[in-house]
Amino acid sequence: ACARALTRVLDGVLGVDVSFECASGVSAVLVSTLAFAVACEAARRLARRAFRGGHSDALALASAWLFALNPANVFYGIAYTESGFSCASFIGYLALADGWDVASGAAFGAAAAFRSNGILHVIPVSVVIAARVIESLQKRKVRAACGNALRGVVACALVVAPYVAFSAYGDAKYCQNPLFAMDNARRPWCVDSLSNAYGLLPKSMYGFLQRHYWGLGFLSSYSKRNAGNVALGAPAMILGIICVSRYFMRIASNTNVY
């Protein structure tokens, strides 16, 4: 849609004749750059919620600058998924912090549509909503607890929906299609196993694609040949571990998790 609109503008207004492929590439870069700008502002607002005191605005702005100037920021200005993923993720956390559980699930679902690891957002969504349910039960507000639990289920379903949809697509096209049903053409992931609850869930081809064609998998990056990249990401990982630890400590002490 963006490519078609850009083609009409260049052709009708400026008189420039461009191909649809060229317009698609340009529009993808424009959308990615716009999403990056929105992600920076969302990161600043999210950081402002986390910091309190007289220097909260300065710390929030510094956090946004650190996000914008990270070593991998080149991916935010090209036709890639990183900008959309970051934008949707930050918006999702803002919505979750404001109590808009279903909206946060929709935003995190959009993030999962950009990148498959977006389904991990289901963890903070589950933890935050579980904390709200427990708090409501402690106050003997059963109706509020049920409402929170229902919104949590809907939010979590929205988070994982894109991944499940992609898995269902692969299952229908390659596992259920008679053309691939023969033993010599059957794809390796088209077997019932624990990963798809022995047939209760769609068979996922994404893990196989990553492992077989890209050499990726759980903790596969932590190897000697990739030590440089691991060292580059170590500060962010250590900071993330510290923040997550403090987050769960706040939940355990029944203080404000935001």
Side-chain angles (χ1 to χ4, degrees):
C2 293
R4 293 189 182 93
L6 182 61
T7 302
R8 293 192 186 99
V9 169
L10 293 176
D11 187 21
V13 178
L14 302 179
V16 179
D17 186 17
V18 297
S19 65
F20 179 77
E21 290 76 12
C22 179
S24 298
V26 173
S27 61
V29 172
L30 291 176
V31 171
S32 182
T33 304
L34 177 61
F36 177 47
V38 175
C40 289
E41 175 59 18
R44 186 191 68 82
R45 296 191 180 192
L46 187 62
R48 194 174 186 278
R49 291 188 63 99
F51 297 118
R52 287 177 171 80
H55 302 288
S56 59
D57 289 337
L59 289 172
L61 184 60
S63 299
W65 274 112
L66 287 173
F67 164 70
L69 300 178
N70 74 82
N73 65 354
V74 63
F75 294 107
Y76 295 120
I78 62 176
Y80 193 56
T81 59
E82 202 67 47
S83 293
F85 175 78
S86 299
C87 180
S89 296
F90 285 134
I91 291 175
Y93 282 114
L94 279 172
L96 186 62
D98 288 334
W100 296 89
D101 302 331
V102 176
S104 71
F108 289 141
F114 280 104
R115 296 180 65 90
S116 63
N117 55 1
I119 62 173
L120 294 177
H121 288 312
V122 76
I123 298 175
V125 170
S126 301
V127 171
V128 170
I129 295 178
R132 291 174 181 165
V133 171
I134 294 173
E135 182 181 2
S136 298
L137 291 176
Q138 290 176 340
K139 295 180 180 179
R140 300 181 184 277
K141 297 180 179 180
V142 178
R143 181 174 297 181
C146 292
N148 286 326
L150 179 60
R151 288 191 296 271
V153 170
V154 174
C156 291
L158 290 173
V159 175
V160 302
Y163 187 85
V164 174
F166 182 76
S167 299
Y169 166 78
D171 191 345
K173 184 171 184 178
Y174 296 105
C175 300
Q176 308 300 330
N177 192 326
L179 293 176
F180 298 95
M182 297 178 293
D183 291 338
N184 59 344
R186 191 172 180 84
R187 305 306 297 153
W189 70 81
C190 293
V191 293
D192 292 335
S193 62
L194 183 61
S195 61
N196 69 322
Y198 295 98
L200 296 178
L201 299 175
K203 303 175 183 66
S204 176
M205 64 178 176
Y206 194 74
F208 173 82
L209 294 177
Q210 285 189 313
R211 182 173 61 257
H212 185 74
Y213 295 105
W214 304 334
L216 300 176
F218 182 65
L219 299 180
S220 61
S221 297
Y222 296 91
S223 59
K224 291 183 179 179
R225 66 176 184 177
N226 203 36
N229 290 328
V230 174
L232 183 65
M237 290 179 56
I238 294 172
L239 182 60
I241 293 172
I242 293 174
C243 291
V244 170
S245 301
R246 294 187 63 181
Y247 176 83
F248 283 105
M249 288 173 64
R250 286 191 176 188
I251 289 181
S253 60
N254 292 323
T255 57
N256 191 343
V257 296
Y258 305 116

